[in-house]
Amino acid sequence: MMQEPVRPLERGASERIKDFEEVVFKYSEEEALREANRCLQCKDPLCIKGCPVGIDIKKFIRHIREKDYRGAYFEIRKKNNFPSICGRVCPAEYQCRKTCVLNSQGAPFASEKSINIHFLERFAGDYAMLNNLSSGIPETRPGSKSFKVAVVGSGPAGLSVAGELAREGIKTVVFEALHKAGGVLRYGIPPFRLPGEVLDYEINYLKQMGVEFVLNCIIGKTKSLQDLKKEGFSAFFLGLGAGVPSFLGIKGENLPNVYSANEFLTRVNLMSAYRFPEYHTPVNIAEKVVVVGGGNTAVDAARVALRLQRLRGLKGRVSILYRRTEKEMPARRLEIEHAKEEGIEFKFLVQPEELLADSGNRLEKIKCLRCRLGEPDSSGRRRPVVIENSAFSIECGLAIIAIGLGANRVLTSSEPALETNRRGEITIKDNFLQSSLRGVFAGGDIVGGEGTVIEAMSMGKTAAAGITRFLKSGSLPF
Ligand code: FAD
Ligand code: SF4
């Protein structure tokens, strides 16, 4: 008889909304073994086809079944440098779990029945962290030490490149605009989903391998690519991410207490505003908070807002407004589930039309229109169509806009020879992710694509292979 799926334990909703501690516990050994033993070890493992980096899932699960956790970790590491991170944040329900043979094929996302591959990946990654297995990875091949590579941006793409190059014995310096490394993993994804210690562990490991981090340094402002070339860097990787928030473009968006999700999350996650005044960054909160959007950013912002309310002793409510229905929400299913358990309200098929202030110019309500679903658009999702004469309003003291992010042009606009498309994304010229500038490679959100951590890391691996090849060819950069 088929065994029941094993879900790891979680902190209860009423307890976890009072702090920023991690929500999902890792599998115990017994739970991991039970879940691994549910895997059918298929002859043709469909799960692998769903993994964006092609991890041999069947094999790493087999290692877990055999209690060879070290083997499981190193199997994953062949394709993914950061299993503890991906095991926590990968949208597996749209990827490997969706294609797992135990899932009903053709469903929009994985059901409970498919193997919990991500939780098993996290188990192997956390085992490696606890037992410091990374230090056993063969490092630094001799012969490449004369080269120096500059990585701009310390998000998953940049970290992945740095790890790969360090292992090749290539001196790598990561330049980061912010005062802490990690990109969205640090400033966007809240610690209750990805604790800072997990990221610190991976970054410290890179440092031990010889990677240098230069923080508070904006390439394109503090220094240019030309300056770095003069300093002796022989190749470059641009992992700049997509850090510029989009806005609705409606009346009232400039009112006080209207945040972009990026600013709101950065204040809380990166600058520890939830511990104000111990930390110096303030953040506003209100009894009635409305978040606009349907992706991970919207759900994260809503859950952070709820925790801030509770920490400040406010009872209030947090609502998410989304133009489509729950089915079309791009956010991870687990986060949607957690948000519901925590009491976040979802208002579907609703589009904001105007943000309205009271007589003291304080945000008071959002005027909205109701929508219905029309024909599918270019993303394949059904387009929201506004219903005439459907206006209504929602009371709201703080609004967070989480409708998407675009390319930051600080660096690209300082290098006219670096080709970009109309969205400001860097144009890629070959399979190794080289840009229009010789010896300058790019990957992650700054080149467009799925916008996931695993995809950014995978591009980092590809670009690192391209950089190594470029350096060996003896070519000089731009
Ligand atoms: P980023 O992570 O954006 O990192 C880019 C870094 O470059 C930043 O630190 C930035 O400061 C730095 N930088 C930019 N310009 C310069 C410059 N000129 N000089 C120096 N440094 C510079 N994906 C998932 O798979 N699962 C999730 O659960 C998930 N949740 C998310 C939640 C939020 C709130 C957000 C915003 C995104 C989420 N994503 C998630 C998407 C995912 O985080 C991104 O796709 C991924 O981080 C992209 O990685 P990156 O390395 O390209 O860029
Ligand atoms: Fe195991 Fe599912 Fe992969 Fe088959 S498809 S090997 S059951 S994880």
Side-chain angles (χ1 to χ4, degrees):
M1 202 180 73
M2 190 70 205
Q3 295 294 314
E4 284 299 303
V6 185
R7 279 278 292 261
L9 294 176
E10 291 171 357
R11 299 173 67 218
S14 56
E15 181 202 339
R16 69 189 188 226
I17 59 172
K18 295 182 201 149
D19 61 39
F20 283 75
E21 301 297 315
E22 192 162 19
V23 167
V24 183
F25 293 110
K26 72 169 190 289
Y27 273 148
S28 65
E29 182 177 9
E30 185 270 328
E31 287 169 331
L33 288 171
R34 256 197 298 141
E35 185 62 8
N37 278 311
R38 279 203 322 118
C39 169
L40 305 178
Q41 292 289 297
C42 306
K43 231 185 185 152
D44 177 18
L46 299 177
C47 51
I48 301 178
K49 297 185 180 120
C51 172
V53 295
I55 294 172
D56 193 334
I57 293 166
K58 172 182 166 180
K59 202 161 167 192
F60 101 72
I61 294 182
R62 190 172 68 232
H63 282 301
I64 293 182
R65 287 153 73 117
E66 291 164 354
K67 298 193 180 179
D68 175 11
Y69 308 129
R70 193 175 190 284
Y73 172 68
F74 283 111
E75 186 53 50
I76 302 169
R77 280 290 303 234
K78 286 183 190 163
K79 295 288 168 83
N80 171 6
N81 288 334
F82 307 113
S84 282
I85 294 176
C86 289
R88 286 173 165 84
V89 304
C90 262
E93 66 276 28
Y94 297 107
Q95 301 172 336
C96 54
R97 294 192 65 220
K98 184 175 163 186
T99 52
C100 169
V101 72
L102 294 176
N103 188 40
S104 329
Q105 302 300 308
F109 44 84
S111 71
E112 282 282 304
K113 280 187 273 172
S114 67
I115 301 293
N116 281 302
I117 300 165
H118 56 316
F119 291 139
L120 290 170
E121 182 183 24
R122 171 178 166 185
F123 173 78
D126 286 3
Y127 176 88
M129 251 193 325
L130 279 172
N131 294 283
N132 207 16
L133 289 191
S134 301
S135 56
I137 293 172
E139 284 168 33
T140 57
R141 282 170 218 168
S144 324
K145 291 224 184 306
S146 52
F147 297 118
K148 217 165 64 156
V149 175
V151 169
V152 186
S154 66
L159 294 180
S160 173
V161 173
E164 294 291 309
L165 294 179
R167 227 167 295 134
E168 289 291 329
I170 297 168
K171 175 75 196 156
T172 307
V173 183
V174 179
F175 295 91
E176 169 54 53
L178 299 172
H179 68 282
K180 280 189 184 171
V184 170
L185 303 177
R186 180 81 68 186
Y187 75 76
I189 301 182
F192 52 81
R193 286 216 284 134
L194 177 63
E197 305 84 70
V198 176
L199 194 51
D200 291 341
Y201 174 85
E202 300 294 1
I203 290 170
N204 284 335
Y205 169 62
L206 292 179
K207 287 182 185 166
Q208 281 166 31
M209 283 170 78
V211 176
E212 194 185 324
F213 285 83
V214 178
L215 305 175
N216 297 310
C217 182
I218 307 173
I219 305 302
K221 280 264 185 259
T222 324
K223 284 175 182 211
S224 66
L225 285 185
Q226 300 287 346
D227 293 333
L228 294 179
K229 192 177 137 188
K230 282 187 204 137
E231 287 174 24
F233 287 95
S234 316
F236 304 81
F237 175 76
L238 309 181
L240 312 174
V244 176
S246 306
F247 284 94
L248 294 158
I250 59 174
K251 261 169 93 182
E253 240 177 338
N254 292 330
L255 284 169
N257 272 7
V258 181
Y259 281 107
S260 73
N262 226 27
E263 180 186 345
F264 183 74
L265 289 171
T266 303
R267 280 175 180 267
V268 178
N269 299 337
L270 179 76
M271 322 286 278
S272 303
Y274 62 97
R275 289 165 71 184
F276 182 81
E278 186 192 340
Y279 283 74
H280 296 303
T281 305
V283 67
N284 291 347
I285 194 69
E287 292 218 341
K288 289 168 188 157
V289 176
V290 165
V291 180
V292 182
N296 284 315
T297 312
V299 179
D300 282 343
R303 296 176 72 199
V304 163
L306 185 74
R307 281 159 173 76
L308 279 178
Q309 284 180 336
R310 297 306 174 265
L311 283 173
R312 303 231 178 127
L314 299 174
K315 274 235 157 3
R317 60 148 168 82
V318 178
S319 318
I320 292 183
L321 308 189
Y322 183 51
R323 298 188 303 162
R324 296 178 163 100
T325 71
E326 180 172 346
K327 195 171 138 211
E328 288 81 26
M329 279 183 83
R332 290 178 80 218
R333 293 291 125 180
L334 186 65
E335 307 326 322
I336 298 174
E337 199 183 297
H338 283 157
K340 283 185 183 168
E341 285 168 13
E342 290 168 8
I344 308 277
E345 282 178 10
F346 287 81
K347 295 184 189 295
F348 295 112
L349 294 167
V350 169
Q351 178 173 306
E353 199 191 34
E354 187 176 351
L355 294 138
L356 300 158
D358 64 13
S359 53
N361 202 35
R362 283 177 300 257
L363 180 65
E364 189 184 33
K365 49 188 162 182
I366 302 193
K367 186 176 161 200
C368 301
L369 299 170
R370 297 206 186 274
C371 302
R372 62 174 173 80
L373 289 183
E375 293 303 309
D377 62 14
S378 57
S379 72
R381 292 176 304 166
R382 290 179 65 192
R383 191 192 303 272
V385 180
V386 167
I387 300 171
E388 270 181 52
N389 302 322
S390 62
F392 68 104
S393 53
I394 300 172
E395 283 184 30
C396 156
L398 186 123
I400 304 171
I401 314 300
I403 56 163
L405 296 163
N408 180 330
R409 296 172 197 245
V410 171
L411 189 152
T412 50
S413 59
S414 74
E415 293 289 342
L418 186 61
E419 247 180 60
T420 54
N421 64 19
R422 62 181 173 79
R423 290 188 296 274
E425 294 157 355
I426 296 173
T427 312
I428 290 306
K429 295 291 181 183
D430 68 19
N431 291 341
F432 286 101
L433 306 183
Q434 191 163 203
S435 71
S436 58
L437 283 181
R438 196 176 59 245
V440 179
F441 296 73
D445 285 1
I446 191 61
V447 304
E450 292 281 314
T452 59
V453 171
I454 188 74
E455 196 199 31
M457 287 180 180
S458 149
M459 287 196 207
K461 257 187 183 280
T462 308
I467 291 172
T468 311
R469 199 164 150 264
F470 175 79
L471 295 175
K472 283 186 182 151
S473 74
S475 305
L476 294 173
F478 53 99

